[in-house]
């Protein structure tokens, strides 16, 4: 199978997955026990109010018309409007996205800055104290919920360093320093478990690479050990680490939502939790779809990236 | 068990010499011993919570309600309603550990069934089932949980369902991979030749030989499920807010963090020790069963 066909096939598959997710969300929301309109308006709503909300949600239409509309709107990028604020779901999510993305990106950066060196040291100094410290801390990292790390950071760093605000968020448009000082603690809380996972993966992947024949050959050729390690070793060791980046995104998102609550950040997590409290279905269903689209296409991207940096991978064929 | 492994005895299809190796791995490794001992202690505390807890977890002491504090009467302090934190933690362990165990068990049963059937039959069955698994995987678990709560309200079973849902694809992929490597083994072909049915071959020949990596997976996911449950409870979308769980206790402590830091710290420590213990034990299992996987020590 050619590269183009493979890319096309995988893209179609990804679109197919998103289509099924959208259908499942449609079915799920319509299987709400009782009347969604009553859920929205509360117990003692007037019949004409209920009818108005039903019409607004399109619930007065036959089910196949609802489904068709749902998919047609989705294809145009229209996720509906918030029941509560009237703002479009797309705009609501976009407005809440900046703090969440900031925490996520800074968190991943912190994780990588810690984990890759820690993993390399751990593998090259195997069974020495450096290795024990690195693997021990990594184990601890993957065993802590992010939001709890956030609380601990808040109580320690947050109170000890007055320059670091422990609450809220400052947009990057207000300047990099206020932005980073607000983001750093939540990002660390999200990034540390992530760092634990990447350290462990880098370590085991590096250990495997170190025992490969081409490493022996490179050393035997008389290349400096550092060059062998970084050029031949690291390049190959990091590939499997890259592939899981997409999978870890899901883990990261769960962490960010909870960490936003700890630090009072008005991001995507806050939006989600508030939407549940308000029974704001369009936001909840829109979020599920947006996140799965990001998730599916990020993995597709990682997959194709992996394929392009590793020519040994065959496209097509097996799983 | 109809499979003949030569002279090795088996237990649920795992050869007993593997358990001997497991015993050696745990006994000879202080990390694994620590893991096993702490997890056992927490499980015992959860099971015997009614006998061991010093107070009724729901009983409120109005005298200390305004000033939650650490004292000799309440070694781990009290929460904002004057309820003993140690007792609530013990009862909380029942929910936190029970939900995790339930969720991973359901995820394992559904996922392994899908994976074994897909791997065993191959062809279009495999294609269809694995595409289905792809779709499951594309749902972010947290949002599934949020949707379930938004639609059906809070409750133990919704939390279990949401977490189980997230693990089906892990088990399905793993089981399928194992089955693919076992399917063409001679003993499976022999079982076919003597006329054993597909179901019989799957449950009696194939599955027992795939059990070691599945046990490791199960252990690792229990640890992740405890974290997931605590996150949901912390967010207030877990089990009912009145039920004590470790995550919910943490969530309630958040508003009192200035006056009573321990309400936020103590349940967290319990979560970390338990999850760490399970992870360490899982790592020892991985070594003992010689299973390769994420972060496994080579």
């Amino acid at each position: 199978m050619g590269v183009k066909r493979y890319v096309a096939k995988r893209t179609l598959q990804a679109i197919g997955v998103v289509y099924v997710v959208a259908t499942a969300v449609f079915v799920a929301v319509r299987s709400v026990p009782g009347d969604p309109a009553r859920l929205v308006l509360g117990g003692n709503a007037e019949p004409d109010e209920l009818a108005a909300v039903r019409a607004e949600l399109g619930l007065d239409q036959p089910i196949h018309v609802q489904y068709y509309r749902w998919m047609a709107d989705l294809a145009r990028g229209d996720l509906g409007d918030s029941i509560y604020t009237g703002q479009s779901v797309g705009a609501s999510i976009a407005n809440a996205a900046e703090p969440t993305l900031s925490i996520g990106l800074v968190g991943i950066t912190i994780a990588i800055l810690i984990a890759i060196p820690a993993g390399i040291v751990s593998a090259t100094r195997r069974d020495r104290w450096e290795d024990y410290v690195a693997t021990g801390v990594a184990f601890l990292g993957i065993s802590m919920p992010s939001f709890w790390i956030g609380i601990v950071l808040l109580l320690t760093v947050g109170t000890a360093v007055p320059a670091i605000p422990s609450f809220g968020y400052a947009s990057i448009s207000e300047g990099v320093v206020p932005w980073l000082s607000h983001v750093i603690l939540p990002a660390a809380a999200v990034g540390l478990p992530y760092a634990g996972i990447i350290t462990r993966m880098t370590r085991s992947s590096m250990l495997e690479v170190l025992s490969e024949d081409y490493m022996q050959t490179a050393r035997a050729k008389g290349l400096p050990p550092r060059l062998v390690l970084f050029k031949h070793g690291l390049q190959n060791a990091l590939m499997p680490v890259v592939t899981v980046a997409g999978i870890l995104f899901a883990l990261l998102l769960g962490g960010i939502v909870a960490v936003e609550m700890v630090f009072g950040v008005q991001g995507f997590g806050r939006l989600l939790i508030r939407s549940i409290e308000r029974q704001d279905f369009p936001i909840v269903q829109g979020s599920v779809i947006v996140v799965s689209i990001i998730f599916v296409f990020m993995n597709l991207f990682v997959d194709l990236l992996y394929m392009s940096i590793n020519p040994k991978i065959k496209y097509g064929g097996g799983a | 068990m109809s499979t003949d492994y030569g002279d090795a005895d088996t237990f649920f299809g795992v050869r007993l010499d593997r358990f001997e190796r497991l015993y050696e791995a745990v006994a000879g490794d202080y990390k694994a011993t620590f893991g096993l001992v702490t997890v056992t202690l927490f499980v015992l505390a959860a099971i015997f919570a009614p006998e061991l807890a010093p107070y009724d977890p729901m009983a409120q002491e109005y005298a200390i309600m305004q000033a939650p504090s650490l004292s000799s009467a309440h070694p781990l302090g009290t929460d904002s309603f004057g309820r003993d934190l140690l007792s609530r933690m013990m009862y909380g362990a029942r929910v936190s550990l029970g939900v995790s165990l339930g969720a991973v068990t359901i995820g394992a049963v559904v996922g392994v069934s899908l994976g074994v059937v897909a791997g065993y039959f191959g062809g279009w069955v495999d294609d269809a089932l694995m595409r289905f698994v792809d779709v499951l995987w594309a749902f972010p678990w947290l949002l599934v949980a949020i949707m379930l709560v938004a639609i059906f309200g809070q409750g133990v079973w919704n939390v279990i369902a949401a977490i189980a849902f997230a693990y089906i694809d892990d088990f399905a992929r793993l089981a399928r991979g194992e089955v693919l490597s076992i399917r063409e083994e001679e003993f499976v072909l022999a079982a076919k030749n003597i006329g054993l049915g597909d179901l019989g071959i799957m449950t009696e020949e194939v599955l027992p030989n795939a059990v070691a990596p599945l046990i490791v997976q199960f252990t690792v996911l229990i640890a992740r499920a405890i974290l997931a449950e605590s996150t949901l409870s912390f967010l207030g979308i877990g089990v009912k807010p009145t039920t004590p769980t470790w995550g919910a206790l943490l969530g309630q402590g958040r508003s009192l963090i200035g006056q009573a830091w321990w309400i936020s710290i103590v349940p967290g420590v319990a979560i970390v020790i338990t999850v760490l213990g399970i992870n360490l034990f899982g790592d020892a299992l991985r070594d003992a069963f010689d299973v390769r996987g994420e972060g496994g020590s080579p």
Side-chain angles (χ1 to χ4, degrees):
Chain A
M1 207 186 294
V3 181
K4 275 187 189 157
R5 266 198 69 191
Y6 179 72
V7 174
K9 186 186 151 198
R10 289 297 318 273
T11 311
L12 277 178
Q13 266 176 10
I15 293 171
V17 168
V18 171
Y19 173 77
V20 178
V21 168
T23 304
V25 169
F26 175 87
V27 174
V29 169
R30 271 142 197 91
S31 62
V32 175
D35 184 355
R38 191 169 288 282
L39 225 59
V40 170
L41 293 172
N44 36 18
E46 300 296 325
D48 53 327
E49 283 179 328
L50 286 171
V53 169
R54 257 184 237 123
E56 204 185 310
L57 295 174
L59 295 172
D60 52 343
Q61 304 286 328
I63 193 86
H64 62 275
V65 176
Q66 289 184 36
Y67 183 68
Y68 173 75
R69 273 201 189 168
W70 162 245
M71 283 297 169
D73 285 349
L74 208 59
R76 283 198 308 269
D78 180 1
L79 293 167
D81 300 320
S82 159
I83 293 170
Y84 204 82
T85 61
Q87 198 182 25
S88 84
V89 172
S92 309
I93 294 176
N95 286 342
E98 193 201 307
T100 308
L101 287 178
S102 300
I103 294 173
L105 290 177
V106 177
I108 293 174
T109 311
I110 293 174
I112 289 174
L113 288 180
I114 297 174
I116 306 280
I120 295 170
V121 168
S122 185
T124 50
R125 313 283 296 167
R126 189 181 183 184
D127 290 337
R128 278 180 250 198
W129 69 267
E130 295 96 326
D131 182 24
Y132 291 134
V133 171
T135 47
V137 173
F139 245 125
L140 204 59
I142 61 169
S143 305
M144 292 193 281
S146 317
F147 61 88
W148 189 71
I149 302 179
I151 292 172
V152 173
L153 286 175
L154 198 67
L155 285 170
T156 53
V157 184
T159 46
V161 186
I164 297 181
S166 51
F167 197 81
Y169 174 77
S171 169
I172 195 161
S173 58
E174 295 169 39
V176 173
V177 174
W179 169 74
L180 196 61
S181 68
H182 279 90
V183 166
I184 191 85
L185 287 186
V190 170
L192 290 178
Y194 206 72
I197 298 173
I198 302 178
T199 303
R200 284 161 59 78
M201 298 198 75
T202 310
R203 178 182 184 270
S204 61
S205 160
M206 195 77 194
L207 281 175
E208 210 162 291
V209 169
L210 286 176
S211 64
E212 296 277 353
D213 289 341
Y214 58 80
M215 295 294 285
Q216 306 254 341
T217 314
R219 274 191 292 264
K221 274 200 300 187
L223 291 179
R226 233 162 242 282
L227 184 76
V228 175
L229 181 65
F230 285 100
K231 176 124 198 304
H232 297 257
L234 196 56
Q235 231 176 30
N236 290 298
L238 286 187
M239 278 207 211
V241 180
V242 173
T243 46
V244 294
I247 300 163
L248 295 181
F249 172 77
L251 185 142
L252 195 69
L253 183 79
I256 297 178
V257 169
V259 165
E260 276 180 13
M261 307 302 281
V262 173
F263 290 93
V265 175
Q266 306 281 336
F268 180 63
R270 201 37 166 255
L271 176 73
L272 270 179
I273 301 300
R274 212 170 33 203
S275 303
I276 297 178
E277 286 162 6
R278 294 170 175 175
Q279 303 278 10
D280 202 338
F281 283 108
I283 301 257
V284 175
Q285 67 186 20
S287 303
V288 175
I289 287 166
V290 167
V291 172
S292 12
I293 289 174
I294 296 174
F295 195 35
V296 167
F297 280 92
M298 213 170 81
N299 274 287
L300 176 65
F301 173 73
V302 169
D303 236 35
L304 298 179
L305 185 77
Y306 188 57
M307 197 181 78
S308 70
I309 56 176
N310 187 355
K312 274 191 294 186
I313 300 274
K314 280 183 293 185
Y315 10 91
Chain B
M1 221 52 59
S2 61
T3 313
D4 184 12
Y5 294 98
D7 51 3
D9 293 322
T10 66
F11 175 73
F12 285 113
V14 179
R15 284 185 295 176
L16 278 184
D17 55 338
R18 279 190 161 165
F19 280 98
E20 276 159 37
R21 260 198 287 160
L22 175 63
Y23 172 76
E24 281 162 27
V26 173
D29 181 354
Y30 66 93
K31 286 184 299 186
T33 315
F34 167 82
L36 191 61
V37 169
T38 48
V39 172
T40 309
L41 286 178
F42 274 97
V43 170
L44 289 177
I47 294 173
F48 296 107
E51 284 75 32
L52 292 175
Y55 297 90
D56 175 353
M58 299 300 178
Q60 304 182 357
E61 261 182 69
Y62 293 99
I64 49 177
M65 220 166 115
Q66 297 308 314
S69 62
L70 295 163
S71 65
S72 55
H74 301 281
L76 295 182
T78 51
D79 69 2
S80 52
F81 294 99
R83 295 177 296 205
D84 181 56
L85 207 53
L86 177 62
S87 307
R88 285 182 78 72
M89 295 262 303
M90 284 180 165
Y91 278 90
R94 304 184 125 197
V95 184
S96 298
L97 299 178
V99 164
S100 307
L101 193 64
V104 181
T105 306
I106 293 174
V109 170
V110 177
V112 170
S113 310
L114 285 174
V116 170
V117 170
Y120 181 79
F121 288 108
W124 69 268
V125 178
D126 187 20
D127 272 347
L129 289 179
M130 292 325 278
R131 284 295 90 76
F132 173 66
V133 168
D134 280 349
V135 173
L136 290 185
W137 169 86
F139 280 98
W141 70 271
L142 184 68
L143 290 166
V144 171
I146 285 175
M147 259 182 56
L148 282 174
V149 170
I151 293 170
F152 299 109
Q154 291 186 309
V156 177
W157 286 104
N158 289 345
V159 175
I160 290 178
I163 299 175
F165 192 87
Y167 297 154
I168 291 174
D169 67 298
D170 295 81
F171 281 109
R173 287 211 174 83
L174 182 67
R176 173 177 176 270
E178 290 298 314
V179 171
L180 285 181
S181 68
I182 295 167
R183 195 172 60 174
E184 303 303 327
E185 296 271 348
E186 279 174 14
F187 64 83
V188 176
L189 300 177
K192 262 186 205 163
N193 283 338
I194 60 169
L196 203 58
D198 287 328
L199 190 65
I201 297 176
M202 277 189 276
T203 54
E204 286 176 37
E205 307 294 332
V206 175
L207 200 52
N209 284 286
V211 94
L214 291 171
I215 290 177
V216 174
Q217 175 88 314
F218 192 90
T219 316
V220 172
L221 289 184
I222 289 274
R224 291 220 325 244
I226 292 174
L227 292 179
E229 188 278 329
S230 73
T231 304
L232 291 178
S233 298
F234 177 78
L235 290 172
I237 49 176
V239 182
K240 286 203 173 51
T242 47
T243 316
T245 77
W246 293 344
L249 291 173
L250 266 171
Q252 288 149 14
R254 196 163 51 96
S255 54
L256 284 169
I257 200 157
Q259 303 99 289
W261 53 267
W262 58 88
I263 305 178
S264 301
I265 295 300
V266 171
V269 172
I271 295 172
V272 174
I273 293 176
T274 312
V275 174
L276 185 65
I278 297 173
N279 276 334
L280 289 171
F281 185 66
D283 222 38
L285 274 183
R286 200 196 301 273
D287 290 345
F289 288 154
D290 201 19
V291 176
R292 285 201 39 187
E294 180 263 318
S297 329

